[in-house]
Amino acid sequence: MNSKPQLLTDEQMRKFIAEGFLILKTDLSKEFHQRLLEQLNEVYQDEGNPGNNLLPRIREVQKVFEHPVITGALTSVLGPDYMLHAHRHGHYNNSPQPGGWHKDSYWGYRRMRNHHPWWAMIMYFPQDTPIELGPTGVLPGSQYYDTRTFEEENPAAEATANGEAGTFALIQYDIWHRSTANKLGQHRYMLKFEFMRTQIPQAPSWDHQEKEWITPSSLSPAVRPHEVVWRETWNWLSGKLGPDSTPIGDGAQAQQWIGQLQMEDPELRAAAANRLGLLGADAREAGAIPVLARALEDSFEPVRLNAAYALARMGEPGTAALLQALQHEDKLISRNAAYGLSASGAGAVAGLTEALKGGREEVTVHAAFALGELRHLAEPAVPALIGLLDHPSEPVRYSTVEALCNIGSPREEIVAALKQALNDPDPQVRFMTGLCISRLGPQAEAAVPELIQALDDDNRYVRAHAAEALYYIGTDTAKEALLHFLRQSRWCPSTTPASTFYP
């Protein structure tokens, strides 16, 4: 088998950006999957769910994640140095009832979710999984929504990961998904692993042939038009930063779309906000900004989403409207404004920095998020962000940690602040700090002593992320500390309650 990663094509990446998932398949043999399935049955029957020890307990699973189809898909979406998260879970489904729609947690649900693909999941099916066996269902395009803007009983809206053994779903971490009904009552396993990006994109990491965004030739009927959002994500993955304000479409139609944005039908309003965003400066000159600013308060989330990203393409007046909406008392409106500001470029930095001082927790979190997404453009905000590491709110502190790592400079000041955060009283702040330090790599060498201390943390994920940070720092001191930790904590995959010592 060729071990070279099989990178995704432009069209596959576009589908992933728009729909939030891809269904792919390995070419491992049926005999391999049968052996893996037998081991799963034995482990679950005799020992229960191995939880985070799934990978060492059933070592053959590692071969799945070394398969070039999977490494290629993950490299394409998350970059070449992606991280396998310490949390993993083998889902077992024999329920005749479907599960509830949900998004997975980031150690709770208070962290602001990413529109850019920072995190992804692999859901792997080791047995033939027809629709009657209850595969995972996903709502295409819903990774951009905080609310469920779909009819739960609409079968055309749901996509399922049914297929032969070796089928896997690559999903954007924030997509709405569920388990479907297992009508056969037979064993159905799904092995879920989480992966994270450790590098901000500098260039495309997939098989990139076409520079510009092209709307996919076929999309699920559940997917609404969010072309401004998709283009911005495509550009972000390509290493571009800041708004692309080039008008796309016929500017003479701007008044038509302004009128449609005020119609009763929410789907028509969402489509109009999308078209005005594509028109960019032409829509601004036609007077679209006040109407789009009102649309930020629309009752239908897809309208608010398109309005926020549309304003990001309209220069200083659009940024001003977003900064005003950031202060809105409705946290959903404030958050959508932050998404728009995260795509607004350097012109948003001063206003976002000022918003950090506002006092309301959600506004501070949203402003810190947007500054982090602006990366090095937000360097002037670093002193204000560092000052928030003593804030009484845990979400403010872990949002600040993530923003500082994304900005990355001035390095010495940021690393010193992150060393402080590794000793934060809240485990989620410590968890996020270790994870984010991994993005800095060797530049964070000064944090090695604090990371070594974190290897003794009471929380399993703080320990795991400290170990990952040492790996990505990669200096001799970091590697020596990591090897010492791994030797002490090595885990025997053959030791079970039925076989504690021999053979």
Side-chain angles (χ1 to χ4, degrees), residues 472-487:
Y472 282 98
I473 289 172
T475 61
D476 289 343
T477 303
K479 288 188 286 188
E480 182 179 349
L482 178 59
L483 285 171
H484 179 71
F485 169 73
L486 294 175
R487 289 179 66 200

Side-chain angles (χ1 to χ4, degrees), residues 32 55 116 166 190 209 227 335 444:
F32 172 88
L55 195 57
H116 296 147
M190 181 272 283
Q209 302 297 322
E227 290 184 75
R335 180 168 56 215

Side-chain angles (χ1 to χ4, degrees), residues 5-18:
Q6 296 180 23
L7 300 176
L8 298 179
T9 65
D10 283 332
E11 183 67 7
Q12 287 175 308
M13 284 296 293
R14 293 179 188 123
K15 291 272 284 185
F16 182 82
I17 289 169

Side-chain angles (χ1 to χ4, degrees), residues 284-366:
R284 179 189 66 208
E285 296 305 315
I289 286 181
V291 183
L292 285 167
R294 289 194 295 273
L296 292 172
E297 301 183 16
D298 197 284
S299 60
F300 193 49
E301 185 175 11
V303 178
R304 300 196 301 268
L305 177 69
N306 282 343
Y309 280 90
L311 288 166
R313 299 188 79 234
M314 296 187 182
E316 184 177 344
T319 299
L322 289 167
L323 286 168
Q324 182 175 350
L326 184 71
Q327 302 290 341
H328 200 284
E329 61 184 12
D330 186 325
K331 66 180 180 181
L332 298 179
I333 296 170
S334 174
R335 180 168 56 215
N336 266 335
Y339 287 126
L341 290 163
S342 74
S344 295
V349 171
L352 286 167
T353 305
E354 186 63 27
L356 294 174
K357 310 170 187 177
R360 284 173 49 206
E361 177 187 283
E362 64 269 22
V363 173
T364 304
V365 167
H366 298 160

Side-chain angles (χ1 to χ4, degrees), residues 94 125 150 158 174 177 211 234 253 257 299 359 382 396:
N94 65 350
F125 296 86
F150 54 85
E158 184 173 7
D174 296 304
H177 61 282
K211 180 180 178 181
W234 173 269
Q253 295 181 340
W257 298 121
S299 60
V382 166
V396 167

Side-chain angles (χ1 to χ4, degrees), residues 98-169:
W101 289 107
H102 65 282
K103 292 176 180 250
D104 276 20
S105 159
Y106 293 92
W107 188 339
Y109 293 90
R110 299 182 70 188
R111 179 184 179 275
M112 186 160 171
R113 294 181 180 271
N114 297 102
H115 289 168
H116 296 147
W118 279 100
W119 293 50
M121 286 192 286
I122 291 287
M123 295 180 169
Y124 185 81
F125 296 86
Q127 72 282 297
D128 291 344
T129 309
I131 188 66
E132 297 81 8
L133 195 59
T136 299
V138 300
L139 259 297
S142 63
Q143 70 274 18
Y144 297 113
Y145 302 152
D146 184 69
T147 54
R148 289 180 291 175
T149 55
F150 54 85
E151 293 293 334
E152 294 189 26
E153 302 303 323
N154 178 8
E158 184 173 7
T160 55
N162 54 292
E164 297 179 342
T167 297
F168 70 95

Side-chain angles (χ1 to χ4, degrees), residues 44-107:
Y44 271 68
Q45 178 178 334
D46 296 343
E47 306 165 30
N49 192 325
N52 288 343
N53 283 329
L54 175 63
L55 195 57
R57 182 66 189 89
I58 304 175
R59 288 176 291 173
E60 284 77 2
V61 175
Q62 183 62 41
K63 295 180 181 178
V64 173
F65 291 102
E66 291 173 351
H67 192 282
V69 172
I70 290 185
T71 60
L74 289 168
T75 297
S76 297
V77 169
L78 299 177
D81 290 323
Y82 60 83
M83 180 194 299
L84 171 59
H85 194 283
H87 173 68
R88 60 285 308 259
H89 188 63
H91 286 258
Y92 176 79
N93 175 26
N94 65 350
S95 173
Q97 299 299 322
W101 289 107
H102 65 282
K103 292 176 180 250
D104 276 20
S105 159
Y106 293 92
W107 188 339

